[in-house]
Amino acid sequence: MCTKLGTPVNPRNLLRTFYDLMKKAKVPKIWFHDLRHTATLMLSSNINPKIVKEIPGHSDIRVTLDTHFHISPSVHKETAHQYGNMIFGSQLESKEKEVLIAADTGSSLEFDSESLNTIQ
């Protein structure tokens, strides 16, 4: 980063300005380094990647996704759930609810092999 004159920014001046801006904006105080995670947080909140790529100024969306998109186990689970609903619709949701209720109450349910494959 550089100043208006093109000289290097003094890191302390940058932090001072950053903290002053946060105070004026009345937002919670964060560390300057936390700004590096903005794109990652936005992607994990399902904000459109094309919008997210503009914030760090990436010229190509692949840079944004390769750098900031970390796939977590919950993303895999949610994707599998969405895909199952696309294929099986409400049939899958009702079977999942039956299994969850049975697990919570400790009762046993009997399913045929086709139902078990659908749930899995």
Side-chain angles (χ1 to χ4, degrees), residues 12-25:
R12 186 66 204 135
N13 289 341
L14 177 66
L15 286 176
R16 190 177 302 115
T17 302
F18 177 67
Y19 293 135
D20 286 345
L21 287 171
M22 282 193 300
K23 190 173 186 178
K24 287 178 186 176

Side-chain angles (χ1 to χ4, degrees), residues 7 24 26 28 30-31 36 44 47 70 74-75 78 84 101-102 106 111:
T7 59
K24 287 178 186 176
K26 298 179 182 175
I30 63 171
W31 298 105
R36 293 187 63 212
S44 68
I47 294 176
H70 311 290
S74 63
V75 172
E78 182 179 332
I101 291 169
F111 291 107

Side-chain angles (χ1 to χ4, degrees), residues 35 38-40 42-43 47-65 68:
L35 295 175
T38 302
T40 303
M42 293 176 82
L43 288 170
I47 294 176
N48 187 317
K50 287 191 175 197
I51 303 295
V52 176
K53 90 171 182 72
E54 294 173 5
I55 291 169
H58 296 150
S59 60
D60 191 324
I61 197 165
R62 289 177 292 189
V63 173
T64 307
L65 294 173
H68 298 285

